Amino acid sequence: MKRTTLITGAAGGIGFALARAFSALGDNVVLADLDATAAERAAENIAGPTLAAKVDVCDPESVAALFVAAAKEFGRVDVVCANAGVSNMKRAVDLTVDDWDFNFNVNAKGVFLTNQAAVRHFLAEDIAGVIVNTASLAAKVGAPLLAHYSASKFAVLGWTQALAREHAKDGIRVNAVCPGFVKTGMQEREILWEADLLGVTPAAVMKSYIDQTPLGRIETPEDVAGVVTFLASDGAGFMTGQGVNVTGGAYMG
C-alpha cells in the first residue's frame, strides 16, 4: 500500500520542504496548517497526491478530525511530522505569561496532541508508524532571548524520548530533528527582533548565525527535509528516541 505522510505547519518553511520531499519519494502527502488557504496554495505546488487541511494543533478535536480526514482520503497514515511551531523573542525578565503560553501551546502541547492522535491511529490500524517531531538547536543549548522557546523545545525532546520508550514494543518509532539557523519566514522575523533587542543591524545578526555554523552558511529547509525523510525510512529502522542535530556543526553534542 502506498505510504501516506501527514505534516503539520506544512504551508511554508520546513513543513513545505518536507511535503515536497515526501511527495518526491512517492508518498501521499497531507499538508495541514492553521492557515487553510496557504496549505491549499502549497498543495497546488506539489505534483503527487495531496490533501490540504486546516488544523489547530492546540485543539484536540481539530487534530483528531485531521486524522479522520486523512484516513478517509488515503486509507491510513504511516508517517507523521509534527512540525508546527511558533516563536517570539524577548529578554527573559520581560517575558509575559502570554509569551510563555503562546510558545508552549503550539510547540509543546501541539506536538503532544499530534503525536497522541498519531499513536492512537497507528494502534487502531496495526501500523508500525513513524513520528518525527521538529525540535531545534534551541532544544540542545538554551538560546538567549528565546528562553521560553528553548524551554518548549526541550520539552519536545523529553516527550519524544518517553513516547519512543513507551511504544517501541508496538513497532512505532519516534524521533526528533533539531535544526539550526534555518532560512524561513520565522528566521526573518527573529533576525529583526534580535537586531532591535541588541541594537545591531540585521546583517550583523545574520553574520553571527553564519559565524556560529562551522559549515559556513545558513541552513535551508531542504537540509532538514533530507534528514527527516531518512528518519522515516527503513534505513533508520533501528533509530528511536533520538534528537538528531541538523545544525551545520553549530551544536555537536
Side-chain angles (χ1 to χ4, degrees):
M1 181 179 291
K2 190 172 185 178
R3 192 172 71 168
T4 297
T5 295
L6 183 155
I7 303 157
T8 64
I14 292 171
F16 182 52
L18 293 175
R20 288 189 298 176
F22 279 104
S23 179
L25 292 174
D27 290 16
N28 304 315
V29 177
V30 180
L31 296 91
D33 202 280
L34 185 61
D35 186 338
T37 301
E40 290 168 1
R41 285 197 302 265
E44 289 170 359
N45 287 290
I46 293 177
T50 61
L51 172 66
K54 180 174 182 175
V55 67
D56 178 355
V57 296
C58 302
D59 179 356
E61 292 184 0
S62 179
V63 174
L66 171 64
F67 278 82
V68 170
K72 181 178 180 181
E73 181 72 17
F74 295 123
R76 57 189 267 164
V77 176
D78 303 274
V79 177
V80 173
C81 299
N83 170 74
V86 297
S87 71
N88 68 330
M89 189 175 284
K90 288 183 180 179
R91 291 181 173 85
V93 295
D94 295 324
L95 288 171
T96 66
V97 171
D98 286 344
D99 293 324
W100 183 272
D101 289 346
F102 174 60
N103 280 260
F104 267 81
N105 281 344
V106 178
N107 299 343
K109 180 181 176 182
V111 166
F112 152 58
L113 291 175
T114 303
N115 285 195
Q116 186 181 63
V119 171
R120 287 171 174 169
H121 175 77
F122 296 155
L123 294 175
E125 301 298 327
D126 194 25
I127 298 168
V130 177
I131 296 171
V132 183
N133 296 321
T134 301
S136 174
L137 168 62
K140 297 294 184 74
V141 180
L145 308 180
L146 286 166
H148 53 323
Y149 175 83
S150 277
S152 71
K153 292 297 189 175
F154 269 82
V156 170
L157 288 188
W159 164 264
T160 296
Q161 291 180 6
L163 191 66
R165 286 181 179 275
E166 191 167 332
H167 286 286
K169 67 183 185 299
D170 301 308
I172 296 170
R173 296 191 297 107
V174 189
N175 290 293
V177 65
C178 298
F181 301 105
V182 188
K183 184 175 177 58
T184 63
M186 180 184 288
Q187 185 192 72
E188 291 174 2
R189 293 189 296 273
E190 289 176 350
I191 287 171
L192 296 177
W193 294 333
E194 187 167 347
D196 182 60
L197 285 164
L198 297 180
V200 299
T201 65
V205 174
M206 177 65 81
K207 182 177 183 301
S208 77
Y209 293 172
I210 295 172
D211 288 346
Q212 292 175 67
T213 306
L215 286 182
R217 65 170 173 83
I218 290 295
E219 188 171 357
T220 68
E222 289 72 25
D223 292 323
V224 184
V227 175
V228 174
T229 54
F230 167 70
L231 289 173
S233 74
D234 291 342
F238 206 61
M239 291 180 68
T240 197
Q242 303 304 304
V244 180
N245 300 323
V246 193
T247 67
Y251 181 80
M252 299 184 181

